[in-house]
Amino acid sequence: MKKLFLFATVLMFTSGIFAQQLSVGGQLGWGTPQGKAFEFSAGEKGTNGGLTLDLDALYHFGQLNNKLGAGITYNTSLLFGINGGFDVGLYSLELYGVKGYYKFFCSSITPYVSLSAGLSRFSLPEITVNGNVVQEAKGTSSFGLRPEVGVQLGSFIISAAYFVPADYKIDGATYSAGVFQVSLGFRKTFDL
């Protein structure tokens, strides 16, 4: 993962020579869990969903009319635990990585696609039953991948993304965890 972050840093600084624009984006939305990590042994779900946040900073390349961008990103999902027979805290799924971005038109209204990849961190919450701890809070890391499609309307963004379920190993067991995200946000572009 250190090599991936080194590559992203070098890419950002060298692309600055060719970049004509810099943009920053932020999105807030709702995520629904994907994968076995969010289910109890009886098949009962531990969460139905929660809030998502996506932040990025991108350089846009002038050679392609600023349609293509590359940079760094942070994405997180905080999924609320269900208080059925269990008392469950917050599940967390995070991505620290690089992002490639392509918008299809040079107009103020344009569809776009992006792909984020990097270090993914999954955290299981503490789970209790009648005040007795059934599972301690634990976390682990893996490789994360997040494709996204959306529409940019001026500075306003509407998007859908899929944090692809990855395998996370905790205490010898393997859990798959991902999130489907629907978000609203903004992208502010600055000329260099």
Side-chain angles (χ1 to χ4, degrees):
M1 287 301 148
K2 289 181 182 178
K3 291 180 183 179
L4 182 64
F5 286 112
L6 178 62
F7 173 74
T9 304
V10 170
L11 177 66
M12 281 182 42
F13 287 113
T14 58
S15 65
I17 299 168
F18 305 107
Q20 298 298 314
Q21 292 181 336
L22 172 70
S23 73
V24 291
Q27 298 180 63
L28 184 63
W30 184 258
T32 56
Q34 308 290 314
K36 297 288 184 187
F38 304 107
E39 296 177 2
F40 297 126
S41 58
E44 182 181 349
K45 282 189 169 187
T47 179
N48 285 328
L51 298 176
T52 66
L53 174 69
D54 185 63
L55 302 171
D56 63 48
L58 305 173
Y59 282 111
H60 296 268
F61 300 95
Q63 294 83 350
L64 299 170
N65 294 325
N66 296 314
K67 291 181 181 180
L68 180 65
I72 57 173
T73 187
Y74 170 73
N75 183 274
T76 186
S77 295
L78 293 174
L79 305 170
F80 307 112
I82 295 175
N83 291 328
F86 301 93
D87 185 18
V88 183
L90 289 173
Y91 290 89
S92 172
L93 190 57
E94 298 175 292
L95 175 70
Y96 304 86
V98 295
K99 184 175 194 173
Y101 172 92
Y102 183 79
K103 63 182 181 179
F104 290 95
F105 307 116
C106 292
S107 63
S108 62
I109 299 174
T110 180
Y112 72 90
V113 294
S114 73
L115 180 64
S116 302
L119 176 67
S120 172
R121 178 93 178 135
F122 175 62
S123 298
L124 286 167
E126 181 179 273
I127 299 173
T128 61
V129 176
N130 299 325
N132 298 320
V133 176
V134 176
Q135 173 184 295
E136 295 287 334
K138 299 174 184 174
T140 186
S141 300
S142 185
F143 178 76
L145 195 62
R146 181 183 175 268
E148 175 185 6
V149 296
V151 176
Q152 186 172 334
L153 309 161
S155 295
F156 185 69
I157 297 172
I158 301 170
S159 73
Y162 188 61
F163 199 130
V164 178
D167 289 337
Y168 300 91
K169 295 186 190 304
I170 299 176
D171 294 337
T174 300
Y175 300 90
S176 65
V179 178
F180 177 73
Q181 304 170 334
V182 178
S183 303
L184 299 174
F186 73 94
R187 178 162 302 285
K188 179 68 176 167
T189 304
F190 305 94
D191 291 325
L192 298 177

